Amino acid sequence: MGGICVRKIWKEVQGWGIAIIIGFVLSILIGIFVIQPYKVDGHSMEPTLKDTQRIYAWKIKHTLDKLPKYGDIVIVDSRVNRSRTFLDDLLEHPIINLVSGKADNEIFYVKRVIGLPGDTIEVKDGHVYRNGAELSEPYIKEQMDLGPAESWEVPQGDIFVMGDNRNHSNDSRSIGPVPLDHVMGIDFK
């Protein structure tokens, strides 16, 4: 009688163990290829997004190597001078970070797409121009401080991103255009 009870308990434990493993694997796959939460770190996207606000990145376009659209809010890996691999996607998953106790959210920037491959982006007199036309940007916090005029050519396979709080944003003006494989996802609104 006792042996039957132990076997029954053991079967139940195995069933739960398998369910937990399947749930873990599905969560990892969904986070890498479909949707993943990110936390806004800093004030560079104000007034659109606030510091510590959680957003959800829709990763289908990233998974399928699709180009984001002008004005999309994207999450990018700011380490543009290194190649990204599938291992990066796996090791940077929130569950893996939770288990390992390691999280480096400072490498991920939340920014707005300003330029696509082939565009020329200019910043002059506190305004942004794309291919010679001044952008209408009702989402920015305030006009940019006047500084020297600058211009960037967006290479094929890259995008140009800027924060909505231009005077307090580390973005493509400092790190350069962002390779498409560094676009982690698009804000899921």
Side-chain angles (χ1 to χ4, degrees), residues 115-128:
L116 298 176
D119 287 341
T120 299
I121 304 299
E122 288 180 275
V123 173
K124 61 183 177 185
D125 301 323
H127 298 278
V128 178

Side-chain angles (χ1 to χ4, degrees), residues 11-31:
K11 276 189 154 185
E12 187 71 24
V13 168
Q14 283 180 318
W16 278 101
I18 290 170
I20 289 170
I21 290 169
I22 290 171
F24 179 78
V25 169
L26 284 175
S27 176
I28 296 290
L29 292 174
I30 289 169

Side-chain angles (χ1 to χ4, degrees), residues 47-117:
T48 308
L49 301 170
K50 306 290 184 219
D51 183 32
T52 71
Q53 180 177 343
R54 284 243 179 243
I55 61 173
Y56 294 89
W58 188 244
K59 299 183 91 172
I60 294 294
K61 284 189 178 187
H62 168 68
T63 300
L64 300 176
D65 266 346
K66 298 288 185 187
L67 199 59
K69 299 183 302 244
Y70 294 122
D72 280 348
I73 295 175
V74 295
I75 295 84
V76 298
D77 179 343
S78 66
R79 303 168 297 175
V80 297
N81 294 325
R82 67 183 276 287
S83 297
R84 280 195 61 83
T85 65
F86 177 77
L87 186 58
D88 290 322
D89 288 335
L90 181 63
L91 294 176
E92 293 160 358
H93 189 282
I95 290 178
I96 300 298
N97 283 333
L98 182 66
V99 170
S100 70
K102 177 188 110 34
D104 192 3
N105 292 333
E106 294 176 6
I107 62 171
F108 297 111
Y109 292 175
V110 179
K111 304 296 174 191
R112 188 176 299 274
V113 176
I114 301 298
L116 298 176

Side-chain angles (χ1 to χ4, degrees), residues 4 8 11 13 19 79 109 111 121 133 136 141 149 173 178 182:
I4 295 174
K8 195 172 186 180
K11 276 189 154 185
V13 168
R79 303 168 297 175
Y109 292 175
K111 304 296 174 191
I121 304 299
S136 171
K141 183 169 185 171
R173 293 172 292 169
V178 176
H182 283 57

